[in-house]
Amino acid sequence: MSQSFDIIIIGGGVAGSSAALTCLNRGKTVGVVTNPMETSSLYKAEMVTNYPGVPGITGKELTELFRRQLEESQAQVIKGRALSVMPMEDSFGVAVENDFYSAKALIIAAGITRENLYPGEAEFLGRGVSYCATCDGMLYRGKTVALIGNSEEARQDVDFLRGIGCEVLHFDKPGKCVITGDNKANKLSYGGKEYDVDCVFIIKDTVSVQNLVPGLKYEKGGIITDKKMATSVHGVFAAGDCAGKPYQLAKAAGEGNIAALSACEYLDEKR
């Protein structure tokens, strides 16, 4: 699938929903890439007491409100993981699972990924390390691959890879994995043993924003932005937890609104 929008928003939480609604109000076409709401930190919150207008609400209830409003809007909700962003001449390409979308501007509202990267993961991403078995699996048909992950998606990917003829080493209790190689990842160390592999598939709920967009600048774990939520990459804006502390819902909603207004202004100036 390939589809174009004025603006793509990566993240369908508070910041992403706020950004999407504002962009729509400014007459822009919007695609929102989002994981299942059950994977968000807010969904798991026992009680939210500091968000104006909704006193004494559970995280699950509030998440469902945001998602319902987003799905009932004119935004196209794209369910899946954003795997990479490719800056092009006057737009951005976004790979979501095995589909591809493009937009003239991008808003990152992906929250934060608290899990650490495995040694070698970032270094060999695209060179023997992949986040998508259905995207890249056929490249390794008949070869030995490792898959790290314990989710239902990871188990389905193991079956898929074996179904196309791969020998799959499945590590469903991820421990201290180290990925090494020369020009390409070809070894995985795990549990004191070293395995020869042709590819390492790492299946996560989210991909760290630090691996999404080439050229983004970070500080203290957050994307650096100016007051208009513009990042170091022209045409890319960020909002919410991924733009740094404090990790609060009201901040995320406000930054999402600002990022949307700035993205719309950026597009209008390009006309």
Side-chain angles (χ1 to χ4, degrees):
M1 177 183 291
S2 179
Q3 190 171 352
S4 297
F5 301 92
D6 291 326
I7 299 170
I8 285 179
I9 300 168
I10 297 178
V14 182
S17 295
S18 173
L21 296 173
T22 299
C23 291
L24 290 170
N25 285 345
R26 294 299 185 276
K28 308 303 181 187
T29 57
V30 179
V32 181
V33 182
T34 181
N35 288 313
M37 59 183 178
E38 292 83 1
T39 64
S40 74
S41 298
L42 175 59
Y43 187 88
K44 301 167 187 175
E46 183 176 351
M47 188 65 62
V48 178
T49 59
N50 66 341
Y51 195 78
V54 282
I57 191 171
T58 67
K60 178 177 181 293
E61 290 170 333
L62 187 55
T63 304
E64 289 172 344
L65 282 174
F66 288 134
R67 183 56 56 90
R68 187 180 309 119
Q69 186 177 18
L70 182 62
E71 291 182 340
E72 290 175 355
S73 74
Q74 295 300 308
Q76 179 169 332
V77 178
I78 303 166
K79 296 181 180 179
R81 292 173 300 154
L83 299 174
S84 63
V85 174
M86 291 148 278
M88 299 185 287
E89 184 175 350
D90 60 351
S91 63
F92 299 91
V94 181
V96 182
E97 306 295 344
N98 55 351
D99 293 325
F100 185 83
Y101 303 88
S102 64
K104 300 169 187 174
L106 181 72
I107 298 174
I108 303 174
I112 54 175
T113 303
R114 291 184 170 85
E115 54 191 326
N116 295 325
L117 298 179
Y118 296 110
E121 177 180 342
E123 178 185 355
F124 291 104
L125 184 61
R127 296 188 297 119
V129 171
S130 171
Y131 294 138
C132 184
T134 56
C135 306
D136 298 328
M138 293 301 292
L139 299 174
Y140 300 95
R141 191 171 187 174
K143 298 182 178 180
T144 299
V145 301
L147 188 142
I148 303 170
N150 57 11
S151 64
E152 178 60 29
E153 179 187 359
R155 289 186 284 274
Q156 291 174 358
D157 284 345
V158 168
D159 292 339
F160 166 75
L161 291 167
R162 286 175 176 160
I164 63 173
C166 295
E167 180 181 347
V168 183
L169 306 176
H170 183 199
F171 301 96
D172 61 354
K173 296 180 180 179
K176 189 174 180 180
C177 297
V178 179
I179 302 164
T180 56
D182 296 319
N183 295 323
K184 184 176 180 296
N186 54 28
K187 292 186 183 297
L188 175 70
S189 298
Y190 178 88
K193 296 182 180 180
E194 186 174 80
Y195 301 87
D196 293 322
V197 296
D198 294 290
C199 182
V200 179
F201 291 100
I202 303 174
I203 308 304
K204 302 178 179 181
D205 289 333
T206 58
V207 176
S208 170
V209 292
Q210 296 189 32
N211 291 331
L212 272 180
V213 185
L216 278 187
K217 293 183 179 179
Y218 299 83
E219 184 178 65
K220 297 180 180 179
I223 301 172
I224 297 175
T225 66
D226 63 15
K227 291 183 178 180
K228 290 189 172 184
M229 308 314 299
T231 73
S232 55
V233 177
H234 199 52
V236 178
F237 305 83
D241 289 355
C242 66
K245 296 180 178 180
Y247 303 140
Q248 297 291 324
L249 297 182
K251 168 186 173 287
E255 288 186 350
N257 178 262
I258 295 170
L261 293 173
S262 299
C264 292
E265 181 181 4
Y266 165 78
L267 292 181
D268 293 341
E269 290 176 349
K270 288 181 65 176
R271 289 180 179 176

